[in-house]
């Protein structure tokens, strides 16, 4: 019996991940910032998977002082933890959303994952994971602030992986391309997007394999590597979104 804690999982990719893990009979703790939404999602998944265990918990990752008590409560209800996945994220337009993007996409992640790291180091095993983005691989014109928060998250996770090397704890960076969720919105002209359920399947496979860094779907590795290696003058001229 395996146990997973999903943070920021009341919608989109996080909710789809909960569904995949419940389908595999993992015990799931699902945390989100809005109590009504947490109850609704736990109720919905509970009726889809009546014989599985799902624990709900309220956690607004932007409220520093709430992070550890909420996680401790969820862990106590779940019993133990084999995997912790940080799914929370926001993308807002303009400079006015900077604070929220930094708080949710980076600072909240650091608080949650540091707590998870302490738990797994003590247990001598476990895996930490967080959803980054291809947008964090190189500064792009679409949303430079969002991209910067994801780049910071990637860098933090890489350092954490090295810090935990030898402790039996794995650290995975998940880098999706375009996934059809509320965050992506109804943007025309994004044909290469995939459904959240498909993204969740790919993510679970990557985590099963214990991969350090992986793209969702995998072909984004080719695109992102090409963009990363592209000489600056050419990148400026092409100016990908
Ligand atoms: N969709 C894409 O194309 C795409 C591509 C690359 C990376 N990503 C990343 O994938 C992750 C999931 O995004 P998504 O596409 O599934 O978007 P989404 O449907 O908007 O889901 C975002 C989730 O984060 C939660 N959240 C936001 N602020 C929070 C807070 N302060 N505390 C706790 N939870 C909070 C939301 O809660 P509420 O339900 O309460 O709003 C929601 O459950 C994000 O990190 C995103 O940056 C997405």
């Amino acid at each position: 019996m395996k146990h997973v804690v999903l943070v920021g999982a009341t919608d989109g990719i996080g909710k789809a991940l909960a569904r995949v893990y419940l389908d595999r009979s993992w015990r799931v703790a699902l945390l989100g910032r809005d109590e009504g939404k947490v109850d609704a999602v736990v109720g919905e998944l509970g009726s889809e998977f009546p014989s599985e265990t799902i624990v709900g918990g309220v956690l607004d990752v932007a409220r520093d002082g709430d992070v550890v008590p909420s996680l401790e409560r969820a862990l106590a209800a779940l019993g133990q933890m084999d995997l912790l996945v940080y799914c929370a994220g926001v993308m807002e337009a303009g400079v006015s959303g900077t604070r929220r993007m930094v708080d949710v996409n980076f600072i909240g992640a650091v608080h949650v994952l540091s707590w998870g790291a302490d738990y797994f180091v003590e247990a001598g095993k476990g895996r930490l994971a967080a959803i980054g983005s291809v947008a964090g691989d190189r500064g792009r014109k679409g949303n430079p602030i969002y991209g910067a928060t994801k780049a910071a998250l990637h860098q933090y996770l890489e350092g954490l992986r090295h810090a935990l090397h030898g402790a039996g704890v794995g650290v995975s960076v998940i880098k999706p391309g375009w996934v059809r969720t509320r965050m992506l919105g109804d943007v025309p002209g994004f044909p290469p997007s995939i459904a959240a359920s498909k993204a969740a399947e790919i993510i679970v496979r990557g985590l099963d394999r214990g991969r350090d860094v992986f793209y969702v779907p995998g072909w984004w590795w080719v695109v992102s590597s090409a963009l990363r290696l592209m000489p600056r003058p050419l990148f400026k001229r092409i100016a990908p979104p």
Side-chain angles (χ1 to χ4, degrees):
M1 184 71 70
K2 295 264 195 170
H3 301 71
V4 59
V5 174
L6 301 171
V7 175
T10 43
D11 219 316
I13 301 172
K15 184 178 166 186
L17 278 174
R19 205 170 252 125
V20 176
Y21 280 115
L22 287 167
D23 193 44
R24 299 169 132 217
S25 293
W26 281 45
R27 295 181 176 214
V28 173
L30 182 152
L31 286 88
R33 61 181 161 173
D34 180 306
E35 190 171 2
K37 210 165 165 184
V38 171
D39 290 345
V41 174
V42 168
E44 181 190 334
L45 295 175
S47 35
E48 268 179 59
F49 301 94
S51 50
E52 306 303 338
T53 302
I54 175 160
V55 168
V58 179
L59 168 54
D60 182 338
V61 298
R63 294 167 63 99
D64 297 358
D66 292 353
V67 171
V68 171
S70 299
L71 288 166
E72 294 286 356
R73 272 195 300 277
L75 180 60
L78 196 64
Q80 64 187 79
M81 177 170 74
D82 302 287
L83 171 67
L84 169 64
V85 188
Y86 190 85
C87 313
V90 288
M91 180 166 66
E92 298 189 358
V95 175
S96 60
T98 304
R99 170 60 64 190
R100 255 177 59 74
M101 287 192 276
V102 170
D103 283 347
V104 175
N105 300 352
F106 183 63
I107 298 175
V110 171
H111 286 153
V112 169
L113 295 161
S114 307
W115 171 85
D118 289 346
Y119 174 88
F120 287 141
V121 166
E122 171 112 28
K125 59 180 179 155
R127 177 158 296 274
L128 297 161
I131 307 183
S133 173
V134 293
D137 277 356
R138 195 159 184 188
R140 303 214 308 250
K141 67 176 179 185
N143 192 329
I145 304 161
Y146 173 81
T149 62
K150 291 297 186 178
L153 178 63
H154 298 171
Q155 182 97 348
Y156 164 67
L157 288 164
E158 186 178 20
L160 190 61
R161 181 182 311 118
H162 297 150
L164 298 178
H165 183 67
V169 185
V171 178
S172 293
V173 185
I174 303 159
K175 297 185 180 178
W178 292 313
V179 182
R180 290 188 297 275
T181 63
R182 179 187 52 182
M183 179 178 286
L184 186 62
D186 189 15
V187 188
F190 278 3
S193 64
I194 58 170
S197 55
K198 182 75 197 161
E201 278 170 30
I202 297 169
I203 290 170
V204 169
R205 266 205 309 275
L207 295 176
D208 278 350
R209 290 178 190 155
R211 296 181 68 183
D212 287 343
V213 182
F214 60 96
Y215 288 80
V216 182
W219 56 259
W220 271 101
W221 176 81
V222 179
V223 176
S224 223
S225 303
L227 290 177
R228 252 182 306 129
L229 294 172
M230 191 177 283
R232 200 172 295 121
L234 181 59
F235 193 82
K236 210 165 19 168
R237 191 143 13 101
I238 292 177

Coordinates of all heavy atoms in Angstrom, one line a residue, residues 7-15 31-34 37 59-63 86-91 100 104-105 131-135 146 150 153 174-184 196, ligand 1:
V7 N -0.3 18.4 -3.2 CA -0.5 19.8 -2.7 C -0.9 20.7 -3.8 O -0.2 20.8 -4.9 CB 0.8 20.3 -2.0 CG1 0.5 21.8 -1.6 CG2 1.1 19.5 -0.8
G8 N -2.1 21.3 -3.7 CA -2.6 22.2 -4.8 C -3.3 21.3 -5.8 O -3.0 21.4 -7.0
A9 N -4.2 20.4 -5.3 CA -4.7 19.4 -6.2 C -6.2 19.5 -6.4 O -6.9 18.5 -6.7 CB -4.3 18.0 -5.7
T10 N -6.8 20.6 -6.2 CA -8.3 20.8 -6.4 C -8.7 21.0 -7.8 O -9.9 21.2 -8.1 CB -8.8 21.9 -5.5 OG1 -7.9 23.0 -5.6 CG2 -8.9 21.5 -4.0
D11 N -7.7 21.1 -8.7 CA -8.1 21.4 -10.1 C -7.0 20.8 -11.0 O -5.9 20.4 -10.5 CB -8.2 22.9 -10.3 CG -9.4 23.2 -11.3 OD1 -9.5 22.5 -12.3 OD2 -10.1 24.1 -10.9
G12 N -7.2 20.9 -12.3 CA -6.2 20.6 -13.3 C -5.4 19.4 -13.1 O -5.9 18.3 -12.9
I13 N -4.1 19.5 -13.3 CA -3.1 18.4 -13.3 C -3.1 17.7 -11.9 O -3.1 16.4 -11.8 CB -1.7 18.8 -13.7 CG1 -1.7 19.5 -15.1 CG2 -0.7 17.7 -13.6 CD1 -0.4 20.1 -15.5
G14 N -3.2 18.4 -10.8 CA -3.2 17.8 -9.5 C -4.3 16.9 -9.2 O -4.2 15.8 -8.8
K15 N -5.5 17.4 -9.6 CA -6.7 16.6 -9.5 C -6.7 15.3 -10.4 O -7.0 14.2 -9.9 CB -8.0 17.4 -9.9 CG -9.3 16.7 -9.6 CD -10.4 17.7 -10.0 CE -11.7 17.0 -10.1 NZ -12.8 17.9 -10.6
L31 N -4.6 18.2 -0.9 CA -4.7 19.5 -0.2 C -4.9 20.7 -1.2 O -4.4 20.7 -2.3 CB -3.4 19.8 0.6 CG -3.2 18.9 1.8 CD1 -2.6 17.6 1.5 CD2 -2.4 19.7 2.8
G32 N -5.7 21.6 -0.7 CA -6.0 22.8 -1.5 C -6.4 24.0 -0.7 O -6.7 23.8 0.5
R33 N -6.4 25.1 -1.3 CA -6.6 26.4 -0.5 C -8.0 26.6 -0.1 O -8.3 27.4 0.9 CB -6.0 27.5 -1.2 CG -6.7 27.8 -2.5 CD -6.2 29.0 -3.3 NE -6.5 28.9 -4.7 CZ -6.3 29.8 -5.6 NH1 -5.7 30.9 -5.2 NH2 -6.7 29.6 -6.8
D34 N -9.0 26.1 -0.8 CA -10.4 26.5 -0.6 C -11.1 25.3 0.0 O -11.2 24.2 -0.7 CB -11.0 26.9 -2.0 CG -12.4 27.3 -1.9 OD1 -13.2 26.5 -1.4 OD2 -12.7 28.4 -2.4
K37 N -14.0 23.8 -2.0 CA -13.5 23.0 -3.2 C -12.8 21.7 -2.8 O -13.0 20.7 -3.5 CB -12.5 23.9 -4.0 CG -12.5 23.7 -5.5 CD -11.8 24.8 -6.2 CE -11.6 24.2 -7.7 NZ -10.8 25.1 -8.5
L59 N -5.0 23.9 2.7 CA -3.7 24.5 2.8 C -3.6 25.5 1.7 O -3.6 25.2 0.5 CB -2.6 23.4 2.6 CG -1.2 23.9 2.4 CD1 -0.8 24.9 3.5 CD2 -0.2 22.8 2.3
D60 N -3.4 26.8 2.1 CA -3.1 27.9 1.2 C -1.6 28.0 1.3 O -1.1 28.5 2.4 CB -3.8 29.1 1.6 CG -3.5 30.3 0.7 OD1 -2.4 30.2 0.0 OD2 -4.3 31.2 0.6
V61 N -0.9 27.6 0.3 CA 0.6 27.6 0.4 C 1.2 29.0 0.5 O 2.4 29.1 0.8 CB 1.2 26.8 -0.9 CG1 0.8 25.4 -0.9 CG2 0.9 27.6 -2.2
A62 N 0.4 30.0 0.2 CA 0.9 31.4 0.3 C 0.9 31.9 1.8 O 1.4 32.9 2.1 CB 0.1 32.3 -0.6
R63 N 0.3 31.1 2.7 CA 0.2 31.5 4.1 C 1.2 30.7 4.9 O 0.9 29.5 5.3 CB -1.2 31.2 4.6 CG -2.3 32.1 4.0 CD -3.7 31.6 4.3 NE -3.9 31.7 5.7 CZ -4.6 32.6 6.3 NH1 -5.2 33.6 5.6 NH2 -4.8 32.6 7.6
Y86 N 4.2 18.5 -5.4 CA 3.7 19.9 -5.3 C 3.2 20.3 -6.7 O 3.9 20.4 -7.7 CB 4.9 20.8 -4.9 CG 4.5 22.2 -4.6 CD1 4.1 22.6 -3.3 CD2 4.5 23.2 -5.6 CE1 3.7 23.9 -3.0 CE2 4.1 24.5 -5.3 CZ 3.7 24.8 -4.0 OH 3.3 26.1 -3.7
C87 N 1.8 20.5 -6.7 CA 1.2 20.8 -8.0 C 0.7 22.2 -8.1 O 0.3 22.7 -9.1 CB -0.1 19.9 -8.1 SG 0.2 18.2 -7.8
A88 N 0.6 22.9 -6.9 CA 0.1 24.3 -6.9 C 0.9 25.2 -7.8 O 2.1 25.1 -7.9 CB 0.1 24.8 -5.5
G89 N 0.1 26.1 -8.5 CA 0.8 27.0 -9.4 C -0.2 28.1 -9.8 O -1.4 27.8 -9.9
V90 N 0.3 29.3 -10.1 CA -0.5 30.3 -10.7 C 0.2 31.0 -11.8 O 1.5 31.1 -11.7 CB -1.0 31.4 -9.6 CG1 -2.0 30.8 -8.7 CG2 0.2 31.9 -8.8
M91 N -0.5 31.4 -12.8 CA 0.1 32.3 -13.8 C -0.8 33.5 -14.0 O -2.0 33.3 -14.3 CB 0.2 31.5 -15.1 CG 0.8 32.3 -16.2 SD 1.3 31.2 -17.6 CE -0.3 30.7 -18.2
R100 N 2.1 37.1 -6.0 CA 1.4 35.9 -5.9 C 2.1 34.7 -6.6 O 2.2 33.6 -6.1 CB -0.1 36.0 -6.5 CG -1.1 36.1 -5.4 CD -2.5 36.3 -6.0 NE -2.9 35.3 -6.9 CZ -3.3 34.1 -6.6 NH1 -3.3 33.8 -5.3 NH2 -3.7 33.2 -7.5
V104 N 3.3 31.5 -4.6 CA 2.7 30.1 -4.8 C 3.7 29.2 -5.6 O 3.9 28.1 -5.2 CB 1.4 30.2 -5.6 CG1 0.9 28.8 -5.9 CG2 0.4 31.0 -4.8
N105 N 4.3 29.8 -6.6 CA 5.2 28.9 -7.5 C 6.5 28.6 -6.9 O 7.1 27.6 -7.3 CB 5.4 29.6 -8.9 CG 4.0 29.8 -9.6 OD1 3.0 29.4 -9.2 ND2 4.1 30.5 -10.7
I131 N 5.8 20.3 -9.9 CA 5.5 20.6 -11.4 C 6.1 22.0 -11.7 O 5.7 23.0 -11.2 CB 4.0 20.6 -11.6 CG1 3.4 19.3 -11.2 CG2 3.8 20.8 -13.1 CD1 1.9 19.2 -11.5
G132 N 7.2 21.9 -12.5 CA 7.8 23.1 -13.0 C 7.1 23.4 -14.3 O 5.9 23.3 -14.5
S133 N 7.9 23.8 -15.4 CA 7.3 24.1 -16.7 C 8.5 24.3 -17.7 O 9.6 24.7 -17.4 CB 6.6 25.4 -16.6 OG 6.1 25.8 -17.8
V134 N 8.1 24.0 -18.9 CA 9.1 24.3 -20.0 C 9.3 25.8 -20.0 O 10.4 26.3 -20.5 CB 8.5 23.9 -21.4 CG1 8.5 22.4 -21.5 CG2 7.2 24.5 -21.7
A135 N 8.4 26.6 -19.5 CA 8.5 28.1 -19.4 C 9.7 28.5 -18.5 O 10.2 29.6 -18.6 CB 7.3 28.7 -18.9
Y146 N 6.4 34.6 -14.6 CA 6.0 33.2 -14.4 C 7.2 32.3 -14.7 O 7.5 31.4 -13.9 CB 4.8 32.8 -15.3 CG 4.4 31.4 -15.3 CD1 3.6 30.8 -14.2 CD2 4.8 30.5 -16.3 CE1 3.3 29.5 -14.2 CE2 4.4 29.2 -16.3 CZ 3.7 28.7 -15.3 OH 3.3 27.3 -15.3
K150 N 9.4 29.6 -12.3 CA 9.6 28.2 -12.6 C 11.1 27.8 -12.7 O 11.5 26.8 -12.2 CB 8.9 27.8 -13.9 CG 7.3 27.8 -13.7 CD 6.8 26.8 -12.7 CE 5.3 26.7 -12.7 NZ 4.8 25.7 -11.7
L153 N 12.3 27.5 -9.2 CA 11.9 26.2 -8.7 C 12.7 25.0 -9.2 O 13.2 24.2 -8.4 CB 10.4 25.9 -9.1 CG 9.8 24.6 -8.7 CD1 9.7 24.5 -7.1 CD2 8.4 24.4 -9.2
I174 N 9.2 18.0 -12.8 CA 8.3 17.6 -13.9 C 8.1 18.9 -14.7 O 7.7 20.0 -14.2 CB 6.9 17.2 -13.3 CG1 7.1 16.1 -12.3 CG2 5.9 16.9 -14.4 CD1 5.9 15.9 -11.3
K175 N 8.3 18.8 -16.1 CA 8.2 20.0 -16.9 C 7.2 19.8 -18.0 O 7.5 19.3 -19.1 CB 9.6 20.3 -17.5 CG 10.7 20.6 -16.5 CD 12.0 21.0 -17.3 CE 13.1 21.3 -16.3 NZ 14.3 21.7 -17.0
P176 N 5.9 20.1 -17.7 CA 4.9 20.0 -18.8 C 5.1 21.1 -19.8 O 5.6 22.2 -19.5 CB 3.6 20.2 -18.1 CG 3.9 20.1 -16.6 CD 5.4 20.6 -16.5
G177 N 4.6 20.8 -21.0 CA 4.4 21.8 -22.0 C 3.0 22.4 -21.8 O 2.6 22.7 -20.7
W178 N 2.2 22.4 -22.9 CA 0.8 23.0 -22.7 C -0.2 21.9 -22.4 O -0.3 20.9 -23.1 CB 0.4 23.6 -24.0 CG 1.2 24.9 -24.3 CD1 1.5 25.9 -23.4 CD2 1.8 25.2 -25.6 NE1 2.2 26.8 -24.0 CE2 2.4 26.5 -25.3 CE3 1.9 24.7 -26.8 CZ2 3.1 27.2 -26.3 CZ3 2.6 25.3 -27.8 CH2 3.2 26.6 -27.6
V179 N -0.9 22.1 -21.3 CA -1.9 21.1 -20.8 C -3.2 21.9 -20.7 O -3.2 23.0 -20.1 CB -1.4 20.5 -19.4 CG1 -2.5 19.5 -19.0 CG2 0.0 19.9 -19.5
R180 N -4.2 21.2 -21.2 CA -5.5 21.9 -21.2 C -6.2 21.9 -19.8 O -6.9 21.0 -19.4 CB -6.5 21.3 -22.2 CG -6.0 21.5 -23.7 CD -7.1 21.1 -24.7 NE -7.3 19.6 -24.6 CZ -6.6 18.7 -25.3 NH1 -5.5 19.1 -26.0 NH2 -6.9 17.5 -25.2
T181 N -5.9 23.0 -19.1 CA -6.5 23.2 -17.7 C -7.0 24.6 -17.7 O -6.7 25.4 -18.6 CB -5.4 23.0 -16.6 OG1 -4.4 24.0 -16.8 CG2 -4.8 21.6 -16.7
R182 N -7.5 25.0 -16.6 CA -8.0 26.4 -16.4 C -6.8 27.3 -16.6 O -6.9 28.4 -17.1 CB -8.5 26.5 -14.9 CG -9.0 27.9 -14.6 CD -9.3 27.9 -13.1 NE -8.2 27.4 -12.3 CZ -8.2 27.3 -11.0 NH1 -9.3 27.6 -10.3 NH2 -7.2 26.8 -10.3
M183 N -5.6 26.9 -16.2 CA -4.4 27.8 -16.3 C -4.1 28.2 -17.8 O -3.9 29.3 -18.1 CB -3.2 27.2 -15.7 CG -2.0 28.1 -15.8 SD -0.5 27.4 -15.1 CE -0.8 27.7 -13.3
L184 N -4.2 27.2 -18.7 CA -3.9 27.4 -20.1 C -5.1 28.2 -20.7 O -4.9 29.1 -21.5 CB -3.8 26.1 -20.8 CG -3.3 26.2 -22.3 CD1 -2.0 26.9 -22.4 CD2 -3.3 24.8 -22.9
A196 N -5.4 17.1 -19.2 CA -4.8 16.9 -17.9 C -4.7 15.4 -17.5 O -3.7 15.0 -16.9 CB -5.6 17.6 -16.8
Ligands
LIG1 N1 -1.5 23.9 -17.8 C1 -0.4 24.1 -18.4 O1 -0.3 24.2 -19.6 C2 0.9 24.0 -17.6 C3 2.1 23.9 -18.2 C4 3.3 23.9 -17.5 C5 3.2 23.8 -16.1 N2 2.0 23.9 -15.5 C6 2.0 23.8 -14.0 O2 1.3 22.7 -13.6 C7 0.8 23.0 -12.2 C8 -0.7 22.8 -12.2 O3 -1.4 23.7 -13.0 P1 -2.7 23.4 -13.8 O4 -2.5 23.6 -15.2 O5 -3.3 22.2 -13.3 O6 -3.6 24.7 -13.4 P2 -4.9 24.9 -12.5 O7 -6.0 24.0 -13.1 O8 -5.1 26.3 -12.4 O9 -4.5 24.3 -11.1 C9 -3.7 25.0 -10.2 C10 -3.9 24.4 -8.8 O10 -3.1 25.1 -7.9 C11 -3.9 25.5 -6.8 N3 -3.4 26.7 -6.1 C12 -3.3 27.9 -6.6 N4 -2.9 28.8 -5.6 C13 -2.8 28.0 -4.5 C14 -2.5 28.3 -3.1 N5 -2.2 29.5 -2.7 N6 -2.5 27.2 -2.2 C15 -2.8 26.0 -2.6 N7 -3.2 25.7 -3.9 C16 -3.1 26.7 -4.8 C17 -5.3 25.7 -7.4 O11 -6.2 25.7 -6.4 P3 -7.7 26.3 -6.7 O12 -8.4 25.1 -7.3 O13 -8.2 26.7 -5.3 O14 -7.6 27.5 -7.6 C18 -5.3 24.5 -8.4 O15 -5.7 23.4 -7.7 C19 1.2 24.5 -11.9 O16 2.3 24.5 -11.2 C20 1.4 25.0 -13.3 O17 2.3 26.1 -13.2 C21 0.9 23.9 -16.2

